Amino acid sequence: MNATPNPEDINAIASDSSTDSNTNTNAESVTPPSPPQNLGTFLDRLYGTLFLPQVTFEQLKAHPSFVQAAIVIALVNALETIRLDHLSIVRIVGSVIGGSIGWVFFTFLLKQLANVFQKNVEMLELLTLTGFASLPWIFMAPALSLPLQSRFLGAIAVIIWFIVWQVWSASVALGIKSWKTLAIIPLAIAGGVVALIWLGNTINLLVSISF
């Protein structure tokens, strides 16, 4: 004898099937997280770099700007030259040009080392992040203006701040942990020093041959 299906059981099964279907549909309709939004102004980026570095570095990577990073580098080098009591326009311009060349050269070496470690990153992103990460150096002059007892500690604090921000920004740009970046940046610095020594020796050789 065949049992007749209970209408209440049929309705319960249909309700469960409908719930599962809605759950799957909702799961499939979940959108991936949107990329970081661009910061409002250049001043927002300056403030964020100093006091909200992680969020700001991520947004700088998503919305890089070579011009803004170059302004930061120019500002840092100009203030450093003025701090050394060199108020000459020629000295300030020379410092800005030299600092900009060193910044681009260091970033280029960092990118080449990143490629060796199979980390693909755009040169513009690296330039933007390392440029803004140089901002803590503007506090060197105030640190050296402290009383003699605190001057040394203030300078050391600024140097550590500068180095940490450089490592932090590079790690965000490369998408790796900060401790791994510590192995790359010294190599970039060492490579830059060796390259400058070779360049100097080449120039001296050419000068000695010419004269």
Side-chain angles (χ1 to χ4, degrees), residues 39-120:
L39 291 170
T41 65
F42 177 58
L43 293 179
D44 291 335
R45 291 184 163 197
L46 295 180
Y47 176 86
T49 298
L50 294 173
F51 304 109
L52 299 170
Q54 181 64 36
V55 174
T56 305
F57 288 156
E58 290 176 355
Q59 293 177 339
L60 288 173
K61 181 180 179 180
H63 306 280
S65 173
F66 173 80
V67 173
Q68 292 184 359
I71 292 174
V72 173
I73 293 296
L75 177 64
V76 169
N77 283 277
L79 292 178
E80 177 66 12
T81 304
I82 294 173
R83 182 186 70 81
L84 298 174
D85 294 330
H86 295 153
L87 299 179
S88 170
I89 298 298
V90 175
R91 287 182 177 271
I92 293 175
V93 172
S95 175
V96 170
I97 293 175
S100 299
I101 294 174
W103 163 55
V104 173
F105 184 61
F106 166 76
T107 306
F108 174 76
L109 290 177
L110 188 61
K111 175 172 170 48
Q112 300 310 308
L113 286 172
N115 292 337
V116 171
F117 288 95
Q118 298 181 348
K119 294 294 181 180
N120 295 324

Side-chain angles (χ1 to χ4, degrees), residues 1 6 17 41 61 66 70-72 75 94 99 114 118 124 131 133 146 169 182 198 208 211:
M1 181 177 180
N6 191 339
S17 300
T41 65
K61 181 180 179 180
F66 173 80
I71 292 174
V72 173
L75 177 64
Q118 298 181 348
L124 178 60
L146 295 173
S169 66
L182 287 172
W198 285 352
S208 64
F211 300 96

Side-chain angles (χ1 to χ4, degrees), residues 1 6 15 31 62 65 105 125 131 151 159 171 192 207:
M1 181 177 180
N6 191 339
S15 177
T31 57
S65 173
F105 184 61
E125 296 176 1
R151 188 176 304 171
I159 292 173
S171 66
V207 171

Side-chain angles (χ1 to χ4, degrees), residues 130-196:
T130 56
F132 273 88
S134 302
L135 198 58
W137 196 263
I138 65 175
F139 291 96
M140 181 58 74
L144 295 178
S145 300
L146 295 173
L148 184 61
Q149 297 80 0
S150 306
R151 188 176 304 171
F152 177 77
L153 293 178
I156 293 298
V158 172
I159 292 173
I160 293 175
W161 189 4
F162 174 82
I163 293 175
V164 169
W165 257 232
Q166 288 291 331
V167 173
W168 197 343
S169 66
S171 66
V172 171
L174 300 176
I176 60 178
K177 296 184 180 298
S178 297
W179 66 269
K180 292 183 178 180
T181 310
L182 287 172
I184 298 178
I185 288 183
L187 291 176
I189 296 174
V193 171
V194 171
L196 291 175

